[in-house]
Amino acid sequence: MKVSELSRRTGVQVPLIKYYLREGLLPPGRATASNQADYGEDHVHRLRFIRTLIGTRGLSTSATKEILDAITAEQEDLHQVFGIVLGVRPTKMEEDASTEHSPNEPEPESAGLADARMLIAEMEWDVSQGNPAAHTLAEVLAALADLGADIDWRGLLPYARLADSIADLDVQQMRGERDVLAQAERAVLISILLEPALLALRRLAQEAKSARHFGGSRPDKANST
Amino acid sequence: MKVSELSRRTGVQVPLIKYYLREGLLPPGRATASNQADYGEDHVHRLRFIRTLIGTRGLSTSATKEILDAITAEQEDLHQVFGIVLGVRPTKMEEDASTEHSPNEPEPESAGLADARMLIAEMEWDVSQGNPAAHTLAEVLAALADLGADIDWRGLLPYARLADSIADLDVQQMRGERDVLAQAERAVLISILLEPALLALRRLAQEAKSARHFGGSRPDKANST
């Protein structure tokens, strides 16, 4: 297909496609004339993946290129691919950069991080040391303690079990695509794009249950379709 | 107690306490001398609540004052209070402001919003028309459609059911405080502060399951405590 058709199929404007070609995010098409090239389904898949990745993770072009290169290198190992696109596992360039700056410095463990690791162990989650989510969890635990709430890591266990069930759903959703890029794209959609949806669903459910448990009339009840 | 003790009990610095007093967020203490006042447990509770509200929702001082006034007005109705502190239900000032600008303009429904309402109806969630979470959900549904993912509102139903279970947990957590401000504070903590924790827990679970389902060795496995 011509570049105009590629643009139509993917929703990416032609100038941007040419930019990606120049930057090496997209391989060249098959030259058919001095200023024309023929593009195939692979180009469609790759462009859609780039659009999803940049749209959901807000990455720079160079970061996106690193990820694409890393995926090509790890193609056989879907778990590695998911780690890369979700930002769990650093790309080789990121690893090299961080080893240069802080060789062999063990991270001092905060109380929050120690508690986060207790929760992770209790859930029997086999996760990598560098997963940023453990640090996010640690920050929340520290904030809860700082605000004097009586919720510690044990209090989060029922939530962790439900999060575990959500992850089961996620994994089911991630199956079934034919090629690595399509699966990586789906992983990004399920993982990242659904985050605000999950929080919104919880807030809606909270309002519904609060009405039931904590009473009160509501003057503007109007959720019928 | 003196203001210094109030500061110690709440973690709020004395100059900030005096600012809240001047702005009317905190009622005056009982005057004991020309430049001293005596503060009680009510002041402790109110200050802790202010700190939590501002810390989790990033509200301005005037917005916080509106919320405090609204809570005082609605004290008997905990559901209304929760709606106010969680930003679900606008305060009267917000309602007046929005009626001035757009009287009786029915909102044109986007496709995403129509689908969000289908999901809400299917879950039998009795929620108010103005709940912003419905709009967030609509935006995600629209983004999914735009990116060509084959996930529509029906595909989100399993997630909605798990969100419903999470909200059951939340409601259980919100019980048991003695006074309205303490319960409102707990509602803010459970609802808002836990949001990043839930997303982090899901990400950790995803990594654990991805390792199991999609194979692959991991060189830096080290999550033992």
Side-chain angles (χ1 to χ4, degrees):
Chain A
M1 70 193 83
K2 290 187 188 169
V3 70
S4 50
E5 175 71 6
L6 182 59
S7 173
R8 193 192 65 77
R9 290 277 306 274
T10 58
V12 182
Q13 301 299 316
V14 170
L16 195 50
I17 294 177
K18 297 200 172 191
Y19 172 68
Y20 290 151
L21 286 162
R22 281 199 306 276
E23 296 294 311
L25 267 72
L26 206 55
R30 186 172 54 86
T32 54
S34 62
N35 63 343
Q36 263 189 36
D38 186 56
Y39 299 96
E41 290 304 310
D42 282 356
H43 288 94
V44 175
H45 293 167
R46 196 169 171 104
L47 254 182
R48 289 181 39 154
F49 175 72
I50 291 169
R51 190 176 69 139
T52 297
L53 199 64
I54 292 180
T56 54
R57 281 192 63 192
L59 297 172
S60 67
T61 306
S62 54
T64 304
K65 184 170 194 310
E66 272 183 48
I67 287 180
L68 285 166
D69 291 343
I71 290 175
T72 304
E74 299 273 13
Q75 282 210 56
E76 302 305 309
D77 191 333
L78 220 48
H79 173 62
Q80 293 288 332
V81 168
F82 288 166
I84 291 163
V85 298
L86 299 178
V88 171
R89 178 164 318 290
T91 58
K92 186 156 192 328
M93 285 180 68
E94 286 168 334
E95 267 178 332
D96 291 345
S98 92
T99 315
E100 270 176 40
H101 289 121
S102 50
N104 272 355
E105 262 178 51
E107 181 195 302
E109 285 245 320
S110 62
L113 194 54
D115 282 356
R117 300 212 189 281
M118 297 282 286
L119 185 151
I120 289 168
E122 181 71 23
M123 291 301 298
E124 296 183 9
W125 284 336
D126 194 11
V127 296
S128 55
Q129 185 84 354
N131 192 328
H135 290 259
T136 303
L137 187 56
E139 283 167 21
V140 174
L141 286 167
L144 285 167
D146 183 56
L147 288 168
D150 59 359
I151 304 166
D152 65 352
W153 70 267
R154 288 176 192 81
L156 292 190
L157 280 173
Y159 290 101
R161 291 178 195 115
L162 286 169
D164 194 82
S165 300
I166 291 176
D168 278 333
L169 276 184
D170 295 330
V171 164
Q172 283 175 39
Q173 295 274 356
M174 289 189 206
R175 292 180 177 290
E177 296 287 342
R178 288 156 306 142
D179 65 271
V180 170
L181 271 196
Q183 271 189 291
E185 184 186 358
R186 198 165 180 79
V188 169
L189 285 173
I190 298 294
S191 248
I192 296 173
L193 203 58
L194 285 198
E195 286 189 335
L198 289 173
L199 297 183
L201 290 167
R202 176 187 180 230
R203 284 185 175 223
L204 290 163
Q206 280 174 345
E207 188 189 349
K209 289 172 194 301
S210 168
R212 213 161 38 234
H213 288 263
F214 299 114
S217 59
R218 259 204 344 278
D220 66 343
K221 203 163 79 173
N223 67 325
S224 51
T225 49
Chain B
M1 72 193 83
K2 291 187 188 169
V3 71
S4 51
E5 174 72 2
L6 181 59
S7 172
R8 192 191 68 75
R9 290 276 306 273
T10 59
V12 182
Q13 300 299 316
V14 169
L16 194 51
I17 293 178
K18 299 201 172 192
Y19 171 69
Y20 290 151
L21 285 162
R22 283 198 305 276
E23 295 296 311
L25 266 72
L26 206 57
R30 185 173 57 84
T32 54
S34 61
N35 63 343
Q36 262 188 40
D38 187 55
Y39 300 95
E41 291 303 311
D42 281 357
H43 288 94
V44 175
H45 292 167
R46 197 171 171 101
L47 255 181
R48 287 180 42 151
F49 176 72
I50 289 169
R51 190 175 70 137
T52 296
L53 199 65
I54 291 181
T56 54
R57 284 193 61 194
L59 298 170
S60 67
T61 307
S62 53
T64 304
K65 183 170 193 313
E66 273 184 49
I67 287 178
L68 284 165
D69 291 343
I71 289 175
T72 305
E74 299 274 13
Q75 280 209 60
E76 302 305 309
D77 191 332
L78 219 48
H79 172 62
Q80 293 289 332
V81 168
F82 288 165
I84 290 163
V85 299
L86 299 178
V88 170
R89 179 165 316 294
T91 58
K92 184 154 195 329
M93 285 179 67
E94 286 167 331
E95 268 178 332
D96 291 344
S98 89
T99 316
E100 270 175 42
H101 290 121
S102 49
N104 275 354
E105 260 177 52
E107 180 193 305
E109 286 244 319
S110 63
L113 194 53
D115 282 356
R117 299 210 189 284
M118 296 283 283
L119 185 152
I120 290 169
E122 181 71 24
M123 291 300 299
E124 294 181 9
W125 284 336
D126 195 9
V127 295
S128 55
Q129 185 82 354
N131 194 328
H135 291 260
T136 304
L137 187 57
E139 283 167 20
V140 174
L141 286 168
L144 286 167
D146 182 56
L147 288 168
D150 59 357
I151 304 165
D152 66 353
W153 69 266
R154 289 176 191 81
L156 291 190
L157 280 172
Y159 289 101
R161 291 180 194 113
L162 286 169
D164 193 83
S165 300
I166 290 176
D168 277 334
L169 275 184
D170 295 331
V171 165
Q172 282 177 39
Q173 294 274 356
M174 289 190 206
R175 293 182 176 288
E177 297 288 343
R178 288 158 304 142
D179 66 271
V180 169
L181 270 195
Q183 274 192 286
E185 185 184 358
R186 199 166 180 78
V188 168
L189 285 173
I190 297 294
S191 248
I192 297 173
L193 203 56
L194 286 198
E195 288 191 333
L198 289 173
L199 298 182
L201 290 167
R202 176 186 179 230
R203 286 186 174 222
L204 290 163
Q206 281 174 346
E207 189 189 348
K209 289 171 194 301
S210 167
R212 218 167 28 239
H213 288 262
F214 299 113
S217 61
R218 260 205 342 278
D220 67 343
K221 203 162 83 173
N223 71 320
S224 53
T225 50

